[in-house]
Amino acid sequence: MVAIPITRSISIDSGEIEESFTRSGGPGGQHVNTTDSAVLLRFDVERSPGLPEMVKERLAALAGSRMTRDGVLTLRSEGSRSQLLNRQEVRERLIEMIREATIVPKKRRPTRPTKASQTRRVDGKTKRSAVKAGRGPVRE
């Protein structure tokens, strides 16, 4: 089988991708309703030897409801009337999702406000309080 390159170090075997074809819905001419132009791609993420464990976990999080409980990612494409174009489009989406899963998110470092910004905030509140206090009824 042919290896599909994802990144420099990651590639998946084309035999791991299972494609099935169905009739696509929506508008079209006479011929579109009789051809199986929609593509349903299934990729078993859990059993893929080409993906590291961390990438599998991030891919499962990215996929959301498109991932089954068994760890199979399903993608569907029916945007084009051409089966070939739909196949290319759904494979590109799969590759892009895996590439996105390879990016390690940066760890958030909590920050604290500076002493000067805390002072500015309190001074502003004090001034605003004085303005509002001055709006009360006039007493003689």
Side-chain angles (χ1 to χ4, degrees):
M1 291 286 157
V2 178
I4 301 170
I6 306 296
T7 63
R8 290 180 184 164
S9 59
I10 298 174
S11 64
I12 58 173
D13 192 22
S14 63
E16 297 178 53
I17 297 174
E18 179 185 322
E19 294 174 331
S20 58
F21 308 100
T22 60
R23 292 188 180 163
S24 58
Q30 296 171 323
H31 187 62
V32 74
N33 298 326
T34 59
T35 56
D36 294 338
S37 60
V39 179
L40 180 66
L41 181 138
R42 294 172 56 83
F43 176 65
D44 195 346
V45 176
E46 290 297 317
R47 292 183 184 85
S48 177
L51 297 179
E53 284 301 317
M54 292 303 293
V55 173
K56 289 179 184 180
E57 291 172 14
R58 286 193 292 269
L59 186 57
L62 280 171
S65 63
R66 293 174 287 191
M67 181 83 78
T68 65
R69 289 186 183 138
D70 301 331
V72 178
L73 177 66
T74 58
L75 297 173
R76 182 177 171 87
S77 174
E78 56 180 288
S80 172
R81 291 175 62 175
S82 166
Q83 187 183 89
L84 179 63
L85 291 177
N86 283 335
R87 284 181 74 184
Q88 290 172 348
E89 194 261 333
V90 79
R91 280 182 179 232
E92 288 170 6
R93 281 182 23 214
L94 172 68
I95 291 168
E96 191 54 40
M97 278 185 76
I98 297 173
R99 278 191 187 136
E100 196 174 331
T102 60
I103 299 170
V104 180
K106 290 183 181 177
K107 201 167 194 179
R108 183 186 177 275
R109 293 176 56 197
T111 57
R112 302 185 72 171
T114 62
K115 187 75 173 170
S117 67
Q118 288 176 343
T119 306
R120 283 193 303 269
R121 182 179 61 85
V122 172
D123 289 347
K125 289 166 80 77
T126 306
K127 287 178 187 174
R128 187 74 181 150
S129 173
V131 168
K132 288 190 171 195
R135 291 181 185 163
V138 179
R139 295 198 175 104
E140 294 181 28

